[in-house]
Amino acid sequence: MSAVNSAAAHPEEHHDLPRGMKRWLYATNHKDIGTMYLVFGTLMLFVGGLLAELIRSELMTPAMRVLSPEAYNQVITVHGLVMVFAAVMPLTAGLANYLIPLMIGAPDMALPRLNNWGFWLLPPAAVLLVLPWGLKLLGIGTGTIDTGWTMYAPLSTQSGPGADFAFVAVLLLGLSSTMASINILVTVLNQRAPGMTMMKVPLFAWSWVITALLLIAVFPALMAGSIMQITDRHFGTHFFSAAGGGDPVLWEHIFWFFGHPEVYILLLPTAGVLPHVLSTFSRKPIYGYEAQVYSFCAIGVMSIVVWAHHMFTSGMPTAANIYFMLSTMAISIPVAVLFFCWFGTLWRGSMTFETPMLFALGYIVLFGIGGLTGLVLSDAAADQQYHNTYFLVAHFHYALFGGPVMGLFAAFYYYLPKMTGRMFSERLGRWHFWLTLIAFNVVFLPQFLLGIAGMPRRIPDYALQFAPLNLVSSLGAFVLGATQLLFLYNVLRTVFGKSGTKATDRVWEGAQGLEFTLPSPPPFHTFSTPPVTE
Amino acid sequence: MSGEKVQLWRRLAVTAALLGTARAHARAFYNFQRPVTPIAHDVLYIHDLFLVIIAVLFTGGLGALLYSAIAHSRRRNPNPATFTQPVGRKQWLWASVPFAVLLVIDYVVLGIPALHSILALADTNDAQMTVKVTAHQWHWQYQYPVYGIGFSSNLSTPQAQIEDRAPKDKHFLLEVDHPLVLPTHEKIRLILASTDVIHAFWVPSFGIKQDVVPGYLRETWVEIEKPGTYRGQCAELCGVGHAFMPIVVVAKSPADFQQWVSQEQSREAAVRATATETLTQAQLMARGQAVYLKNCAACHQANGMGLTGAFPPIAAGRPFNASPQMLAALKSLGFYANGVIVEGPVAKHIRIVLHGIPGTPMPSWSSLSALDIAAVITFERNSFGNHTGEVIEPAQVAAAESGH
Amino acid sequence: MSAVPDAHHPYYVPQPSPYPILLSGAVFLLGLGLALLVNSFAAGWWPLGLGALLLAGTLTAWFGRVVGETRSGVYGHQEERSFRWGMMWFIASELVFFASLFGVLFYERNIAVPWLASFTSRAWSAYTPWPHFSATWPSGGPAGRPFQVVAPWGVPAVNTLILLSSGATVTWAHLGLRAGRRGQLKAGLALTILLGALFLALQIHEFSHAYTRLGLTLHSGVYGATFFILTGFHGLHVTIGTIMLSAILLRALKGDFSPERHFAFEAVTWYWHFVDVVWLMLFVFVYWL
């Protein structure tokens, strides 16, 4: 994208490399903090995955066998919260921390200590979320929150002490996300190398600018809502209770005012990685850079004004249903622009299909299904039939696994050699991709059919006509889960230097960008003297 | 173990066979359930239209992707192009075609039918009858104000089937003791209410799904075109019994419906008459046990020991812990002291069963007859190790009910 | 890393620091204590107390460290720009927080209460649990007990004047700082702190008046709930602002801040003006209209 003054791109190695536990606990280095985010997020991806396997075990056949209904509700709730807040968000934040300073030629994040605070708020939040399970083992309380990740009042008011732990965890997560977002925004606004104007900033960094703005614009609302939930539960307020003039639906508005932009918060960073990967492996410059930047902006703005399409059955006035339907449909345009640009980047390129490219193409296909079924769900009338069924479950897994998680795998494989200085096993990577692609579809395609046939979500037990497809889905889930161990193995042997070849500085033949002008792995401090972009 | 394995393989084989013959099972297997209301027909039309459109879009996109992956691979196309945006007016025009098409699909092809059904859905005018549907944790209650009748509708699948100790019925989890009965060919307005948390009334064949919000009212309407039995479920997570509160609607021709109404009226009159009966303790205990097993055992358990953390034991002297609301309510009612369940006063016991405990999963059971309530309270106070020796007569319950 | 600033000095990347993780620990302990205490586990006082101590200690040490770094001159213009942007976005997130609380007030007042009352119309009245409820504001809801509201033109109006004057005094202090009149700076800051404290004292008096005389409590339906959450969180922010102003005054007394470079002072003034603006909105939408 830009010519680089390569003499300035190689900084002198610093001798004051911190060692031992302090390096991590007290970290101020963006690569170390980014690494911690990535490790924590991966760990939580497996925790959330384990919970998913528990869910699918219970649903494998009709009848209650594995979990009690109480435990089932807690497991689905924690699965949702962990995957969204503790797995995907930290993983995208980890990429941002590691990559953005390298991409824009900055010596580090703008506010390094704040950066570390943002990260270290996450493990306590995760602990608070699952601590009630530990307390229950000691005979205290009723386990963790059991309301579904949407935490609808007044079910949440009725829930045991675990709900308070979850709402406090949300406050910590909000604080963490706000701090991380401020830091990323300031970094991109203030730390760019000389000559790098905003319209030259790599798309990944741009996608995070919009993500960070969204987080700042919506997370405080959820924090305010969580505080109101706690006061409704314990201090006699009636925000969400009709007896005092409040309304349970108000919580739905607050939650989805946050929750819908949250979908794009999860999605945008990987939509930002995708063009880099596609361009590298098609050996062709990114198509429609500006169009993608403007699409990110448009998606950001639109995502804030469409939230109540999650509430078409809540009994809103007809005019509101119509407005939220029409505005939701409008989002299909900027998203379609992104797809168009991805295709444009590939078109008449010179493609090879290494693992990151495979995951990027898988992203386009699976997220395509998620997006198209989203179009279906935006219809306020037909949504009566889809809402809260397995059709919806399948849709958002295509959107959130097919999009962000596939995108994260693409990014992982794309940058792993840069981060570790070693190539991963391409063969294992390909196995990982194909098994994931097939198993994922085996899990979630049947769920579309289940939803259409009338199976509601969040039930631990179901009628007999849903049995065959649930069995298929569960078996697929076990394969999908096991496949991810391949990924873990491949990453670990690369990180610990057990795999063969060393990575070059450019890593991939077609790779562009400042990060690929640095050695692999990059030294502890990079760009202490800024590179010059022409 | 190996038996289970065999069973698993047999299931797999059956599944494969079923998928293979899916077309024959179309309605039951992978498509909407048979639509029987105008809204359901509308929605099915939209759904079919949608599926065709997104299938075409997806196939087109996937085709282009696969073509590009083959034709523009490094082997076939070693020299990549370098374009980064449309050049010239002609290219820009071509590039804007997909978006114009998408806009037409969004707002014309899909938008217009959608608007039509949204407006139709909201129109509850000119209804010929109103039925009030009240959601409880975890059953539905139906009232017909014009006919002065009403009853609750509980899951009738035995616990043994749910726990896999007995073979499952055909309508496992989708069967109730007392279905909602509606006439065909009449526009019926449903008023929906909830007494505890948000539930959702959903019968797939009717094409409607409406959340019910506690303290508020919602409405929707149906006009069923064919007699038959239609099954649905609660569609909003409402606690541990969410999977166990099905909706069963029996649609009858208007003549059959009228006949059912008069039967129901006389049945309920007979039940009301029992409120003045006086029964012996043995009679009450026997009836109470039946009522308990049917209505209470799902939460308080058949052995009266409840579930720690959620449902208090009926047996006095048992330790219990749960949400602060629950504990505070039990304490103030006199049923909880020093960490254990105690036997509270009879009057409060009647009040709890009649009106439930707000803020906890304990619902109001006022839809049960006075006789059944008297029987179940007598049973509870003299079983599971409780020996109060008290006998509660229907008249006491009826008095408490009218007192409120 | 070099601590000597020059025209082309590299961006200051601090050495590894224990403060962030200690602060996280403090927040965790506070959260744990809160979650335990609201569920009546008295053991929650331990983490809460420890967390509060750790929070105060860590913040003091962390800001102390930053002050030390400022004095040693490691911060150039680029670093200062980072701080400016950082503070700005932080205040933006705070604005969203208050905006959502105002959104809640708007929803309860203009949507929830009228909706509940609409069920008394003919089409619904036979089915509603609230046959006698009518939409008024203030409202305690259909099952609420009666209460009186705080009259806007008494203490709240005085408080408005106090906060507006404090905005003026802090600007006056800023003018003094820029012109090198240190006396004016110190006097202005001291006055602002006094006005902030006076505001808080009056607010506490109003709250106790509402609870004891007016019957207006957190339990008073949506009016009480929105009233106390909005004014309560505003009060909390005034408290934080006053503490920050005091720290700035201490630094001014020790001779910190030059007429050209005094970002910490400016950041606190921004915060103070933000708190001021929120109060004006509160006065109009909570007390007055």
Side-chain angles (χ1 to χ4, degrees):
Chain A
M1 190 188 79
S2 52
V4 167
N5 179 344
S6 63
H10 293 278
E12 73 281 29
E13 177 67 325
H14 283 267
H15 44 269
D16 54 355
L17 182 74
R19 291 181 188 285
M21 283 305 284
K22 275 191 184 173
R23 170 171 177 188
W24 305 103
L25 300 183
Y26 297 176
T28 47
N29 180 288
H30 73 100
K31 297 182 200 77
D32 284 356
I33 295 172
T35 307
M36 288 196 291
Y37 266 112
L38 292 175
V39 170
F40 176 77
T42 309
L43 190 73
M44 286 294 140
L45 195 66
F46 278 87
V47 170
L50 212 61
L51 295 171
E53 300 299 341
L54 266 178
I55 296 169
R56 283 318 316 174
S57 309
E58 175 56 54
L59 293 177
M60 190 155 91
T61 55
M64 303 301 302
R65 278 185 165 168
V66 180
L67 298 166
S68 66
E70 302 88 78
Y72 181 85
N73 287 350
Q74 297 181 7
V75 167
I76 56 165
T77 307
V78 178
H79 166 71
L81 290 170
V82 161
M83 283 303 198
V84 168
F85 291 110
V88 175
M89 282 174 75
L91 286 171
T92 58
L95 287 178
N97 262 294
Y98 200 105
L99 295 172
I100 288 179
L102 302 186
M103 285 180 163
I104 64 173
D108 205 298
M109 297 293 279
L111 306 158
R113 282 177 293 219
L114 194 70
N115 201 12
N116 201 30
W117 187 37
F119 170 74
W120 280 109
L121 281 168
L122 288 177
V127 167
L128 282 175
L129 204 54
V130 295
L131 190 64
W133 272 331
L135 290 178
K136 193 187 177 192
L137 291 178
L138 300 173
I140 301 168
T142 54
T144 186
I145 186 169
D146 57 358
T147 55
W149 85 290
T150 49
M151 303 179 280
Y152 277 8
L155 188 63
S156 58
T157 321
Q158 231 181 45
S159 186
D164 298 305
F165 284 81
F167 287 121
V168 171
V170 167
L171 294 178
L172 262 62
L173 291 164
L175 204 55
S176 163
S177 293
T178 309
M179 294 307 141
S181 300
I182 290 174
N183 211 344
I184 290 168
L185 263 180
V186 175
T187 304
V188 178
L189 291 173
N190 192 34
Q191 307 285 88
R192 300 188 308 278
M196 184 175 282
T197 58
M198 275 315 275
M199 286 320 269
K200 284 184 185 169
V201 167
L203 279 171
F204 174 68
W206 250 116
S207 70
W208 247 107
V209 167
I210 303 299
T211 304
L213 284 171
L214 276 178
L215 276 166
I216 290 173
V218 299
F219 219 136
L222 186 70
M223 293 169 78
S226 299
I227 291 166
M228 288 184 259
Q229 286 264 22
I230 294 175
T231 61
D232 262 19
R233 283 167 57 80
H234 299 289
F235 299 103
T237 58
H238 287 89
F239 290 110
F240 311 124
S241 150
D247 186 357
V249 174
L250 172 60
W251 166 259
E252 298 185 20
H253 281 291
I254 294 175
F255 182 84
W256 288 115
F257 176 76
F258 157 81
H260 191 72
E262 173 69 17
V263 173
Y264 294 96
I265 287 163
L266 299 172
L267 184 74
L268 281 176
T270 51
V273 167
L274 212 59
H276 296 261
V277 178
L278 296 176
S279 153
T280 296
F281 295 102
S282 60
R283 292 165 185 76
K284 192 164 157 277
I286 290 170
Y287 180 83
Y289 169 87
E290 288 185 16
Q292 293 188 62
V293 169
Y294 295 136
S295 288
F296 291 159
C297 298
I299 289 171
V301 172
M302 285 173 162
S303 72
I304 295 184
V305 296
V306 299
W307 73 89
H309 64 227
H310 295 265
M311 302 159 53
F312 282 146
T313 66
S314 72
M316 286 186 297
T318 307
N321 280 346
I322 292 173
Y323 160 73
F324 283 109
M325 174 176 82
L326 297 180
S327 57
T328 302
M329 286 175 165
I331 286 204
S332 64
I333 297 297
V335 174
V337 170
L338 292 183
F339 272 94
F340 190 82
C341 294
W342 297 338
F343 277 100
T345 304
L346 297 174
W347 201 255
R348 288 176 52 210
S350 186
M351 277 186 260
T352 49
F353 302 95
E354 287 85 346
T355 309
M357 180 65 157
L358 289 175
F359 274 100
L361 295 175
Y363 180 117
I364 296 179
V365 175
L366 296 184
F367 179 63
I369 298 178
L372 287 169
T373 48
L375 194 61
V376 179
L377 283 158
S378 73
D379 184 314
D383 188 58
Q384 305 278 323
Q385 210 61 334
Y386 304 126
H387 182 68
N388 271 1
T389 68
Y390 263 84
F391 188 89
L392 179 70
V393 174
H395 155 73
F396 68 68
H397 281 93
Y398 271 92
L400 296 182
F401 189 110
V405 177
M406 293 296 273
L408 281 166
F409 282 138
F412 249 129
Y413 284 114
Y414 187 60
Y415 289 111
L416 193 63
K418 171 53 62 187
M419 292 172 177
T420 61
R422 290 186 169 272
M423 299 306 289
F424 53 86
S425 158
E426 182 64 32
R427 201 158 65 97
L428 281 178
R430 285 177 194 216
W431 272 101
H432 176 221
F433 169 73
W434 286 110
L435 283 174
T436 298
L437 184 76
I438 294 164
F440 175 82
N441 282 299
V442 173
V443 183
F444 291 105
L445 270 182
Q447 295 189 3
F448 279 126
L449 304 180
L450 281 171
I452 290 170
M455 177 166 166
R457 70 193 278 219
R458 291 173 170 169
I459 53 172
D461 200 0
Y462 48 81
L464 297 180
Q465 69 259 36
F466 306 128
L469 288 173
N470 268 301
L471 181 62
V472 174
S473 181
S474 286
L475 293 174
F478 302 146
V479 178
L480 185 62
T483 302
Q484 304 320 309
L485 297 175
L486 271 184
F487 166 72
L488 198 62
Y489 173 67
N490 202 357
V491 170
L492 289 179
R493 69 197 284 273
T494 313
V495 169
F496 293 107
K498 295 288 190 294
S499 77
T501 48
K502 278 187 72 75
T504 60
D505 290 0
R506 190 155 292 277
V507 184
W508 313 104
E509 182 192 320
Q512 301 289 324
L514 285 179
E515 68 271 29
F516 291 105
T517 64
L518 294 166
S520 304
F524 192 66
H525 289 296
T526 40
F527 296 132
S528 296
T529 322
V532 176
T533 314
E534 282 150 18
Chain B
M1 188 64 213
S2 68
E4 270 181 28
K5 258 186 192 161
V6 170
Q7 206 188 351
L8 189 70
W9 284 113
R10 193 176 300 150
R11 281 219 181 96
L12 271 181
V14 169
T15 306
L18 278 175
L19 280 173
T21 57
R23 283 194 68 81
H25 298 259
R27 279 278 165 255
F29 206 89
Y30 68 80
N31 209 341
F32 278 3
Q33 296 176 18
R34 182 160 57 101
V36 291
T37 64
I39 297 292
H41 282 293
D42 256 27
V43 169
L44 184 63
Y45 167 77
I46 296 173
H47 171 73
D48 287 342
L49 189 66
F50 259 130
L51 280 198
V52 171
I53 289 169
I54 66 173
V56 168
L57 290 178
F58 181 71
T59 319
L62 188 65
L65 193 67
L66 289 178
Y67 170 79
S68 180
I70 294 164
H72 308 147
S73 69
R74 183 157 61 174
R75 197 143 39 96
R76 302 219 176 173
N77 190 29
N79 299 313
T82 55
F83 60 86
T84 57
Q85 60 172 52
V87 180
R89 182 185 284 188
K90 203 170 145 197
Q91 277 194 17
W92 273 104
L93 271 177
W94 274 111
S96 57
V97 166
F99 305 103
V101 172
L102 191 58
L103 275 176
V104 172
I105 291 174
D106 276 354
Y107 291 111
V108 181
V109 182
L110 301 174
I112 290 172
L115 276 179
H116 173 260
S117 16
I118 294 170
L119 294 173
L121 190 63
D123 178 17
T124 54
N125 294 324
D126 312 319
Q128 287 145 286
M129 183 172 81
T130 301
V131 174
K132 185 178 182 189
V133 177
T134 309
H136 302 271
Q137 280 172 320
W138 292 276
H139 67 276
W140 298 88
Q141 182 190 352
Y142 305 113
Q143 286 156 297
Y144 302 68
V146 273
Y147 300 114
I149 53 179
F151 48 85
S152 351
S153 176
N154 287 284
L155 175 72
S156 61
T157 300
Q159 195 65 24
Q161 293 187 15
I162 295 170
E163 287 163 12
D164 220 13
R165 288 183 282 110
K168 295 181 182 56
D169 297 336
K170 183 164 178 249
H171 296 297
F172 176 66
L173 292 186
L174 294 179
E175 51 198 347
V176 296
D177 56 355
H178 212 144
L180 170 64
V181 179
L182 293 176
T184 55
H185 305 292
E186 278 182 31
K187 184 165 179 178
I188 300 153
R189 177 181 179 224
L190 300 174
I191 299 275
L192 300 130
S194 165
T195 54
D196 32 52
V197 299
I198 301 177
H199 301 265
F201 183 86
W202 181 35
V203 180
S205 285
F206 297 171
I208 50 163
K209 182 181 284 141
Q210 179 57 59
D211 292 6
V212 278
V213 180
Y216 286 74
L217 296 173
R218 295 288 190 267
E219 63 175 345
T220 187
W221 65 276
V222 295
E223 190 175 334
I224 307 164
E225 56 195 35
K226 282 194 200 83
T229 305
Y230 306 104
R231 294 167 201 276
Q233 280 179 275
C234 176
E236 183 60 64
L237 180 61
C238 56
V240 300
H242 172 50
F244 310 107
M245 50 181 293
I247 299 152
V248 179
V249 183
V250 173
K252 292 179 186 289
S253 69
D256 288 353
F257 177 74
Q258 283 309 327
Q259 201 187 348
W260 172 83
V261 167
S262 26
Q263 273 172 9
E264 186 64 23
Q265 280 168 333
S266 42
R267 190 190 66 83
E268 290 191 12
V271 169
R272 268 194 299 279
T274 60
T276 55
E277 283 178 23
T278 310
L279 281 82
T280 66
Q281 182 175 6
Q283 285 171 311
L284 285 166
M285 287 291 287
R287 190 178 184 102
Q289 183 171 25
V291 174
Y292 180 86
L293 290 176
K294 188 171 147 197
N295 297 296
C296 318
C299 300
H300 297 288
Q301 305 299 305
N303 60 9
M305 294 305 160
L307 278 178
T308 314
F311 308 116
I314 303 299
R318 303 285 303 179
F320 181 62
N321 204 343
S323 71
Q325 284 93 334
M326 167 94 80
L327 294 183
L330 287 176
K331 203 178 275 179
S332 75
L333 288 160
F335 282 78
Y336 184 72
N338 306 319
V340 298
I341 295 292
V342 294
E343 200 60 79
V346 172
K348 293 283 166 60
H349 201 153
I350 296 175
R351 190 176 123 191
I352 293 174
V353 179
L354 269 179
H355 303 292
I357 305 178
T360 76
M362 178 67 187
S364 155
W365 292 94
S366 57
S367 53
L368 292 178
S369 70
L371 171 59
D372 282 348
I373 292 178
V376 80
I377 294 174
T378 306
F379 172 75
E380 287 179 347
R381 296 180 80 85
N382 294 291
S383 309
F384 316 123
N386 301 341
H387 301 289
T388 62
E390 289 157 333
V391 176
I392 291 89
E393 293 294 348
Q396 280 172 269
V397 178
E401 201 165 9
S402 57
H404 271 273
Chain C
M1 186 154 291
S2 160
V4 186
D6 62 76
H8 303 287
H9 82 133
Y11 194 82
Y12 177 68
V13 180
Q15 287 296 303
S17 160
Y19 304 130
I21 193 168
L22 286 176
L23 197 58
S24 292
V27 174
F28 171 67
L29 288 172
L30 285 173
L32 181 65
L34 177 72
L36 288 172
L37 280 176
V38 292
N39 287 295
S40 327
F41 295 115
W45 286 111
W46 286 103
L48 196 77
L50 264 172
L53 282 177
L54 192 57
L55 184 81
T58 310
L59 282 177
T60 313
W62 191 343
F63 280 109
R65 166 94 203 194
V66 175
V67 171
E69 286 168 353
T70 311
R71 287 186 186 142
S72 73
V74 292
Y75 294 138
H77 289 289
Q78 200 185 2
E79 285 86 346
E80 195 176 306
R81 227 168 26 238
S82 288
F83 294 153
R84 276 173 197 281
W85 279 115
M87 190 65 193
M88 239 191 62
W89 289 115
F90 174 68
I91 290 178
S93 78
E94 290 268 56
L95 263 177
V96 176
F97 182 84
F98 276 101
S100 22
L101 293 183
F102 278 108
V104 167
L105 174 65
F106 174 84
Y107 185 96
E108 304 286 25
R109 180 174 178 172
N110 296 303
I111 297 177
V113 168
W115 197 345
L116 279 169
S118 74
F119 298 132
T120 51
S121 69
R122 220 161 57 89
W124 297 93
S125 59
Y127 315 99
T128 176
W130 327 110
H132 308 297
F133 182 63
S134 58
T136 53
W137 192 262
S139 171
R145 268 170 293 177
F147 57 85
Q148 288 173 287
V149 299
V150 176
W153 298 109
V155 176
V158 174
N159 262 343
T160 310
L161 276 179
I162 290 175
L163 271 195
L164 284 178
S165 338
S166 77
T169 52
V170 86
T171 308
W172 184 64
H174 195 190
L175 289 175
L177 171 55
R178 289 240 294 258
R181 293 192 293 269
R182 304 287 296 185
Q184 185 180 334
L185 163 69
K186 291 166 197 166
L189 278 172
L191 258 176
T192 315
I193 293 166
L194 268 178
L195 288 169
L198 187 58
F199 171 90
L200 283 172
L202 285 173
Q203 257 327 60
I204 290 166
H205 170 260
E206 277 295 277
F207 282 3
S208 91
H209 181 66
Y211 256 79
T212 52
R213 298 288 169 77
L214 304 176
L216 176 63
T217 70
L218 275 172
H219 300 252
S220 308
V222 280
Y223 184 84
T226 49
F227 175 84
F228 280 108
I229 203 156
L230 272 157
T231 53
F233 269 99
H234 178 263
L236 183 68
H237 281 73
V238 174
T239 312
I240 296 170
T242 311
I243 293 170
M244 297 198 311
L245 281 169
S246 309
I248 292 296
L249 177 60
L250 277 179
R251 286 186 62 188
L253 289 173
K254 284 189 177 174
D256 275 357
F257 309 128
S258 70
E260 296 79 32
R261 298 194 59 185
H262 44 262
F263 167 69
F265 178 93
E266 282 180 84
V268 174
T269 11
W270 293 350
Y271 193 80
W272 195 252
H273 287 312
F274 151 73
V275 169
D276 226 3
V277 170
V278 171
W279 175 261
L280 284 180
M281 305 280 289
L282 270 177
F283 181 72
V284 174
F285 291 108
V286 177
Y287 289 99
W288 184 12
L289 295 180

